Amino acid sequence: MNQALKELLDLLDLEPIELDIFRGRSPAERHQRVFGGQVAAQALVAAGRTVPGDRLVHSLHAYFLRPGDPTVPIVYNVDRIRDGRSFTTRRITAIQHGRAIFTMSASFHVSEQGVHHQAAQMPDVPAPETLPPSQQRMRELFGDDPVVQAAAAVPRPVDTRYVTPLTWEAHRDPELRGSRTRVWFRYDAELPDDPLLHVVLAAYASDYTLVDTVLLAHGLAWGTTDIMGASLDHAMWFHGPFRADDWLLYDQESPWSGGARGIARGQMFTPAGDLVVSVVQECLIRTKNV
């Protein structure tokens, strides 16, 4: 297990302060704001700690209200909205500096038998083992740029392998622009057999590339064009069991953008082709060029 994954798992081990109140922190390195996937994952951990172990999360709906400050802790308040015979509902509010920066509603469900169908088919893509890690592609793309080389050398908790072009590649070559991103990802270490942990880690990774899917359609890329982007809201549905330490194909598309906003939606498939997660996000995209 690399150090980055160890640190992420430590970040997800929230400190209980009082009944239904938890405290989380951000990584030691300083960014302008807290990564949205981190807040969503920590909020889901907080909710899960107030729910019986036989109930698994099946959906979450979240709003990013304000940028998170990475220099101070985040307090997560959990409201026990409902405890029914089959479903449990929680509302989580993340607070910094006395104000809400994020809210989430999460629903948990006991295991039940029922009808099943899957209309969505996993796309035919190269196996992840045949694709280079994204950090390797970044090094090759930017050559000897010391900033990029240093960033690419930093271990990451998630191993990502892109099937489709990177936004920086599409920025350089307009023919590579498109409205779809396909990327394999996994946490490259054997993880505990805790279903909530694997769901939480999928939620963390789900926020990595959705905004990029909107940027890809316009040839925009972080650091190369004058843009500002952020997640506005985020919804996920969990359909079946999966492991975050096994490969998942994240198939994403952006059907629309306009008015400084964009929509991206995604589906996560296991290597066997099972659809296990659906995701939808609206994001903010501001640029001086449009």
Side-chain angles (χ1 to χ4, degrees), residues 151-167:
V154 176
R156 296 184 178 182
V158 187
D159 183 357
T160 55
R161 311 285 179 100
Y162 280 77
V163 177
T164 50
L166 303 175
T167 54

Side-chain angles (χ1 to χ4, degrees), residues 82-155:
R82 180 175 185 264
D83 288 290
R85 289 182 296 177
S86 301
F87 289 90
T88 294
T89 306
R90 296 291 184 260
R91 182 172 59 223
I92 311 96
T93 305
I95 299 172
Q96 282 187 318
H97 303 296
R99 300 193 300 176
I101 65 168
F102 173 89
T103 64
M104 173 191 288
S105 294
S107 182
F108 298 74
H109 183 207
V110 297
S111 179
E112 293 190 53
Q113 297 297 316
V115 297
H116 171 74
H117 80 277
Q118 178 180 317
Q121 297 300 308
M122 178 177 173
D124 185 13
V125 298
E129 294 82 5
T130 67
L131 300 169
S134 58
Q135 289 172 295
Q136 178 182 331
R137 282 178 68 171
M138 289 289 292
R139 287 193 295 266
E140 294 172 352
L141 182 63
F142 288 96
D144 296 329
D145 186 313
V147 175
V148 175
Q149 293 292 338
V154 176

Side-chain angles (χ1 to χ4, degrees), residues 67-282:
D69 182 351
T71 66
V72 300
I74 305 173
V75 174
Y76 295 92
N77 289 337
V78 180
D79 290 332
R80 301 187 182 224
I81 303 301
R82 180 175 185 264
D83 288 290
R85 289 182 296 177
S86 301
F87 289 90
T88 294
T89 306
R90 296 291 184 260
R91 182 172 59 223
I92 311 96
T93 305
I95 299 172
Q96 282 187 318
H97 303 296
R99 300 193 300 176
I101 65 168
F102 173 89
T103 64
M104 173 191 288
S105 294
S107 182
F108 298 74
H109 183 207
V110 297
S111 179
E112 293 190 53
Q113 297 297 316
V115 297
H116 171 74
H117 80 277
Q118 178 180 317
Q121 297 300 308
M122 178 177 173
D124 185 13
V125 298
E129 294 82 5
T130 67
L131 300 169
S134 58
Q135 289 172 295
Q136 178 182 331
R137 282 178 68 171
M138 289 289 292
R139 287 193 295 266
E140 294 172 352
L141 182 63
F142 288 96
D144 296 329
D145 186 313
V147 175
V148 175
Q149 293 292 338
V154 176
R156 296 184 178 182
V158 187
D159 183 357
T160 55
R161 311 285 179 100
Y162 280 77
V163 177
T164 50
L166 303 175
T167 54
W168 298 276
E169 294 170 336
H171 173 69
R172 294 184 177 185
D173 184 355
E175 292 188 359
L176 298 178
R177 296 179 185 180
S179 58
R180 185 175 293 275
T181 298
R182 287 172 173 160
V183 57
W184 289 99
F185 76 89
R186 73 171 176 183
Y187 292 83
D188 199 11
E190 185 175 352
L191 298 170
D193 296 330
D194 178 0
L196 179 62
L197 174 63
H198 293 265
V199 166
V200 165
L201 291 174
Y204 179 90
S206 70
D207 194 38
Y208 265 131
T209 52
L210 284 167
V211 176
D212 286 2
T213 304
V214 181
L215 299 181
L216 187 67
H218 303 280
L220 301 174
W222 305 114
T224 59
T225 45
D226 192 3
I227 59 173
M228 190 276 280
S231 303
L232 294 176
D233 59 16
H234 195 86
M236 301 183 71
W237 295 264
F238 303 94
H239 311 309
F242 62 89
R243 295 191 64 89
D245 52 7
D246 195 4
W247 289 109
L248 292 170
L249 177 67
Y250 197 8
D251 183 21
Q252 302 150 82
E253 65 171 346
S254 176
W256 174 89
S257 66
R261 292 175 289 114
I263 288 287
R265 55 195 182 198
Q267 297 176 315
M268 295 184 186
F269 295 88
T270 68
D274 295 327
L275 175 64
V276 290
V277 184
S278 295
V279 189
V280 178
Q281 182 180 101
E282 185 176 44

Side-chain angles (χ1 to χ4, degrees), residues 8-16 23-25 42 45 49:
L8 174 57
L9 295 179
D10 187 48
L11 291 177
L12 296 176
D13 187 17
L14 303 181
E15 175 190 358
R23 179 162 48 206
R25 59 183 181 84
Q42 288 180 329
V45 169
R49 290 191 176 179

